[in-house]
Amino acid sequence: MLFDSHSHTNEDSFSQEERAQVIEEINNCKELSYSMDIGYDIASSIQAIEDSRKSDKIYVAVGIHPNNSQELGIDLEDEKAVNAVLDQLRDLSKDDKVVAIGEIGLDYHYDDTDKKVQNFWFRKQIRLAMELDMPIAIHSRDADLDTFNCLKEEGAFEKAKEGGAFGVLIHCASCSAEFAKGYVREGAIISVAGPITYKNNRRGVELVEQIHISKLLIETDSPYLAPVPMRGKKNRSWYVEYVARKIAEIKGMEYEEVARITCENAKKFYGI
């Protein structure tokens, strides 16, 4: 009944042998129904599609992560070059296993952040997803207000409320409970990852306490952010069980109920 709503089996830190092993373990894990393999640039998006060929459980999002957008090296005034990148994503989105655009967003954590470049590509990919009527998986780090405003100004929240295939997911949410509630009021859904299991993560606990289970997904962000008791290891999709168990503990629910509901939430969001 578990659905890992955000992972990176496509991550280039995995050797070919490791990736094959990870996919085999996903296939063999009876508790895991699905795993989203999320692109962060063109190459990783292509790799995710290749991964999905080897597992009925793996579905894909294609997109350019905010940090990777800075590595494109494209003049933002060069319309032809910009459209060429968007056309690549548009073509990749036609694959049967591709169900979302992501991960896209803003990341202001690093000193060399180019906010103009990140905002440009974020908005371009929001518009692409709305054109394609596909949901978006959002990365937001130290950029809560700008992320929210971009989505608002681009009409993403309005389209999410229309009831079509398009939707807004805040992945690995690190915002406050109040900010998360603002997202939910606007029609977005929130995903929680391994940090919810970390000691003294009161901010994450408060978010889970205050967001209704119908608006929550669970994820690993594999190979990053392994949950307790696996912290320090490369994260794996089936470790999402520990996230579900922590949510159950926080909310006073049965683990099986959390697993079932979050799985159904993810299936609905991704249209699976």
Side-chain angles (χ1 to χ4, degrees), residues 96-116:
D96 289 343
K97 281 295 195 75
V98 176
V99 294
I101 301 297
E103 68 187 275
I104 64 176
L106 301 174
D107 190 325
Y108 293 170
H109 183 71
Y110 300 102
D111 292 338
D112 63 348
T113 294
D114 189 327
K115 294 182 180 180
K116 181 180 179 181

Side-chain angles (χ1 to χ4, degrees), residues 68-86:
N68 295 87
S69 71
Q70 297 184 193
E71 299 171 3
L72 288 171
I74 292 175
D75 182 351
L76 304 187
E77 301 297 324
D78 187 342
E79 187 174 343
K80 183 176 180 180
V82 169
N83 286 336
V85 174
L86 296 174

Side-chain angles (χ1 to χ4, degrees), residues 40-51:
Y40 48 87
D41 59 14
I42 297 297
S44 64
S45 296
I46 293 171
Q47 181 64 57
I49 292 172
E50 292 179 5
D51 296 342

Side-chain angles (χ1 to χ4, degrees), residues 100-165:
I101 301 297
E103 68 187 275
I104 64 176
L106 301 174
D107 190 325
Y108 293 170
H109 183 71
Y110 300 102
D111 292 338
D112 63 348
T113 294
D114 189 327
K115 294 182 180 180
K116 181 180 179 181
V117 169
Q118 288 195 9
N119 275 264
F120 177 88
W121 286 105
F122 184 27
R123 290 175 183 271
K124 286 290 186 181
Q125 291 180 97
I126 293 171
R127 294 170 196 169
L128 176 64
M130 290 195 295
E131 169 201 324
L132 299 172
D133 199 24
M134 299 181 79
I136 48 178
I138 304 298
H139 173 104
S140 182
R141 188 181 189 192
D142 298 339
D144 289 333
L145 187 57
D146 280 5
T147 300
F148 188 93
N149 287 340
C150 280
L151 291 164
K152 187 84 170 177
E153 291 164 7
E154 292 298 329
F157 293 133
E158 289 182 15
K159 187 167 180 63
K161 291 176 180 177
E162 291 176 1

Side-chain angles (χ1 to χ4, degrees), residues 162-173:
E162 291 176 1
F166 181 83
V168 177
L169 167 64
I170 308 301
H171 118 82
C172 194

